[in-house]
Amino acid sequence: MHFSKRTLLLLTGILAATAAHGQIFPGYNTSQYAGIHGVPFNPALAAGSRYRWDVNIVGVDARATNTYVKFEKSSLLSGDSLKRWRDFFPDTLATGKQYGWGSADLMGPSALYSIDEKQSIAFVWRVRGGGYGGGVTANTANFFSLNYPNPRYNNRTIAESYGAGFGHWWNEFALSYARVIKDQGVHRWKAGATLKYLSGQAAVYGVGRDGSLKLENTDLIDINSGRVAYAYNTELDEGGGWQGLYSPFQNPGIGLDLGVVYEWRPDNDGFDSYLEGGDWNPDADNWKARFGLSVVDIGGISYDKSPVSANLDMRVNDFPSRMLGKQKEESMRQYANRLANTFQVEESDDKFFMNLPTAVHLMGDYNFNGRFFVSAAATVALTSGTKDDNKTSALTQLMVTPRFETRHLGAYLPVSVNRYGQADAGFALRAGPLVVGSSTLFTTLFQSRINRADVFVALRVIPIRFSKWSWDKGGDGIFRRKRKTLGCPTNI
C-alpha cells in the first residue's frame, strides 16, 4: 500500500497526541544568555538582564512526534511515496493510547531593552501553529490504518470513549514588562508579565466520543453509538491555500503570560548591581541558584464556524464501510457536507473558542563556577484533558540541561522525558549571534527508524565587546566597583 509522503506525514502529525506546543528553544531558553529568547518561557527572566539590549532577527522552532509509526530515515529523503513495512512501520502491538503531534513557531523581529539594572521591556512577534490528535488505542488505529475495511476485523466490535484531532495557527504581538521587585541581602525576586494581541489564522477540530462500531463485512458497518463534532473557521472556505490566509489583525484575541523568578546570591555580599570593564550589568549572573515559575498562554481566540461544521449523532446500521472515510475525489468541505447530510445533525453554536496551549513552567538552575551550570525545567499542560472540544495543548515534559557558558559561546545538552515515556537527548550551540540546536539530536542520530525529530535555529543581534579585562575573562569581583563610586565599596 502506497501513500503520498505529504499525506502520511500529515496523518502522522495529527493522528495522536495531546501536545502541539511546548517550550520554544528547549534547553537554551533558561540560560542567562537567552535574553529575548527566554521571555516566552518566563517573562520575569527579562528583568536584570545580562544585556542592555537584545534583538532577535529571526528564529524558527519546529518539531514532529508520534507514538504509533516509525519511519526509515533514508525513506524520508527519497521519492514521493512511502510503502508500509518498507518505509514506515506501525506499532501494531502497542499498548495504551496512541498520540502524535507537530508544531512550528516562527519568531520574527523582536527586541528586549533594559531600562536600568532592575527593569526591562520586551516586544516579541511570533507566528505559531501546530496539529495534534489521538487518544485511541493501537487496536483502533490498526482497524483504520491496516487496509480498512480489513476482513480480519469482520464481526468484531471496536469501541472508544474518546478520540480527537486539532489544528491551530495564529499570530501574536506580545509586550512584556519585568522588574526586580525585591533585592535584599542574598535574596532577589523578579516578576514579569506579557500581554499578547492575538489574531487567529486557521483553526480546526474533530472530536469523537463514546463510539462503538462493528464491521459486518468488508462492505457494511454498524455504528451502534457515537457522537462526532467538527468545525473549522470560515476563512478556510475562502480558498487560496494556507499561504493566502495570513492576516495579522483578523479574529482578534487576548493572551497573557505571568512569571516570577527567585535568585539565591550568597556571593553578593549584600551589594547591588555593578559595572566593570564597561560591561552592562555583570551582576545579572551573580547568583548561585535560581528558581522560576510561570503560567503562559492564558487566553484564546474566538472563530466563526464554517457552515459545514456540525455535531452529529453517528448511529446507523448497514452503512457502506468505505463511505465512512474521505473519498479520494472529495475535498474536505465536500466530505464534511456529506457527513452532515448522512447522519443526524444536533444543535450547536455558530462560533467556537480555541484556547491557547496554557501551561505551567517550572525552572531550577544551579551555578557551579560561572562557566558550568545545570538546569531543570518542567512543563505541565493545563489544557490536555478530554472535556474541551476545541483547544490547543502543550506537552507535559521534564528536561534537565547541563551547559557551559561564556559571553559569546554556549553549549547545551538537554535530556528530556515526556508524559508518554519518550526519552530524548539533544544538543544546542550558541555562537555569538547564532543559536542552533535539537532536543532529539542524539536520540535520532543513532537510529535508522525514527518517530520524532525537532530543530531550532535563531539569529540575533547583541552587544559584543572583546575587552581583554571583561568580567567574563577573569576576576572574582570581590572588590568590584559599585556604579558611581570610587575605590572599594566598604561602606555603602
Side-chain angles (χ1 to χ4, degrees), residues 202-247:
V204 58
Y205 69 86
V207 179
R209 298 182 184 274
D210 303 318
S212 176
L213 52 86
K214 182 178 180 180
L215 190 66
E216 296 182 35
N217 51 58
T218 55
D219 297 319
L220 297 174
I221 192 171
D222 294 334
I223 303 178
N224 300 314
S225 66
R227 282 177 165 76
V228 168
Y230 58 86
Y232 60 85
N233 58 304
T234 55
E235 286 82 4
L236 291 177
D237 281 331
E238 296 174 3
W242 287 77
Q243 66 277 10
L245 291 174
Y246 180 74
S247 175

Side-chain angles (χ1 to χ4, degrees), residues 38-118:
V39 174
F41 180 85
N42 186 331
L45 291 174
S49 172
R50 186 69 170 78
Y51 303 112
R52 183 63 186 259
W53 52 267
D54 181 11
V55 176
N56 176 78
I57 299 174
V58 65
V60 177
D61 185 307
R63 62 197 63 242
T65 313
N66 84 100
T67 62
Y68 181 62
V69 179
K70 287 192 173 183
F71 298 88
E72 288 282 353
K73 285 193 296 188
S74 58
S75 69
L76 299 177
L77 302 175
S78 61
D80 190 44
S81 65
L82 297 174
K83 186 176 182 180
R84 189 171 58 233
W85 309 127
R86 185 195 70 185
D87 302 314
F88 67 95
F89 302 83
D91 188 358
T92 59
L93 301 179
T95 58
K97 305 292 186 179
Q98 300 303 301
Y99 301 92
W101 55 97
S103 67
D105 194 318
L106 172 66
M107 180 184 284
S110 306
L112 180 152
Y113 177 73
S114 296
I115 300 172
D116 54 36
E117 295 99 321
K118 293 184 179 295

Side-chain angles (χ1 to χ4, degrees), residues 282-302:
D283 187 52
D285 303 343
N286 193 25
W287 47 265
K288 192 66 176 177
R290 61 177 180 167
F291 304 90
L293 168 66
S294 61
V295 183
V296 301
D297 289 327
I298 303 168
I301 303 170
S302 181

Side-chain angles (χ1 to χ4, degrees), residues 8-14 16-17 19-21 61-67 69 71 76 99-105 129-132 395 418 422 424 438-440 444 450-456:
L8 189 56
L9 292 176
L10 175 63
L11 290 174
T12 301
I14 66 173
H21 305 277
D61 185 307
R63 62 197 63 242
T65 313
N66 84 100
T67 62
V69 179
F71 298 88
L76 299 177
Y99 301 92
W101 55 97
S103 67
D105 194 318
Y132 60 101
L395 174 63
N418 63 36
Q422 294 178 324
D424 292 298
S438 167
S439 64
T440 60
T444 59
I450 61 174
N451 63 351
R452 55 194 185 274
D454 78 297
V455 66
F456 60 86

Side-chain angles (χ1 to χ4, degrees), residues 1 14 35 64 66 151 157 200 224 226 254 261 282 291 331 342 350 358 369 398 440-441 474 487:
M1 184 175 182
I14 66 173
N66 84 100
T157 297
N224 300 314
I254 296 295
V261 171
F291 304 90
S331 66
T342 301
D350 58 1
T358 311
N369 60 10
L398 172 66
T440 60
L441 177 65

Side-chain angles (χ1 to χ4, degrees), residues 295-488:
V295 183
V296 301
D297 289 327
I298 303 168
I301 303 170
S302 181
Y303 292 93
D304 292 324
K305 286 183 179 179
S306 166
V308 302
S309 305
N311 291 4
L312 304 177
D313 183 337
M314 299 292 290
R315 289 175 294 179
V316 68
N317 291 320
D318 298 328
F319 187 75
S321 56
R322 288 181 173 81
M323 298 302 292
L324 189 60
K326 177 180 173 297
Q327 304 301 293
K328 183 180 298 186
E329 68 279 2
E330 285 182 315
S331 66
M332 286 302 300
R333 180 182 176 86
Q334 291 171 332
Y335 176 51
N337 262 326
R338 178 167 62 81
L339 291 180
N341 291 329
T342 301
F343 300 98
Q344 181 178 345
V345 178
E346 300 178 334
E347 185 177 352
S348 63
D349 296 332
D350 58 1
K351 292 180 177 289
F352 66 99
F353 185 81
M354 205 72 166
N355 289 307
L356 294 185
T358 311
V360 173
H361 291 318
L362 302 170
M363 179 196 76
D365 203 0
Y366 186 79
N367 179 351
F368 286 97
N369 60 10
R371 291 292 181 272
F372 293 95
F373 302 76
V374 62
S375 67
T379 296
V380 180
L382 300 183
T383 58
S384 59
T386 62
K387 292 183 179 180
D388 190 359
D389 282 355
N390 32 276
K391 61 179 181 293
T392 313
S393 179
L395 174 63
T396 297
Q397 65 177 7
L398 172 66
M399 178 174 290
V400 176
T401 306
R403 69 182 190 272
F404 170 79
E405 300 270 22
T406 67
R407 185 198 299 184
H408 303 307
L409 180 67
Y412 313 83
L413 295 172
V415 178
S416 62
V417 60
N418 63 36
R419 62 172 293 184
Y420 305 111
Q422 294 178 324
D424 292 298
F427 177 76
L429 178 68
R430 174 179 57 84
L434 179 66
V435 178
V436 62
S438 167
S439 64
T440 60
L441 177 65
F442 294 124
T443 305
T444 59
L445 186 62
F446 301 107
Q447 296 179 347
S448 61
R449 297 175 184 174
I450 61 174
N451 63 351
R452 55 194 185 274
D454 78 297
V455 66
F456 60 86
V457 60
L459 184 64
R460 64 201 292 206
V461 179
I462 56 176
I464 297 179
R465 294 189 182 95
F466 297 97
S467 171
K468 178 180 179 181
W469 300 107
S470 73
W471 91 284
D472 261 355
K473 297 183 180 181
D476 292 333
I478 296 177
F479 298 103
R480 290 173 299 179
R481 285 186 299 167
K482 184 178 174 70
R483 191 161 69 110
K484 297 182 181 179
T485 66
L486 299 175
C488 174

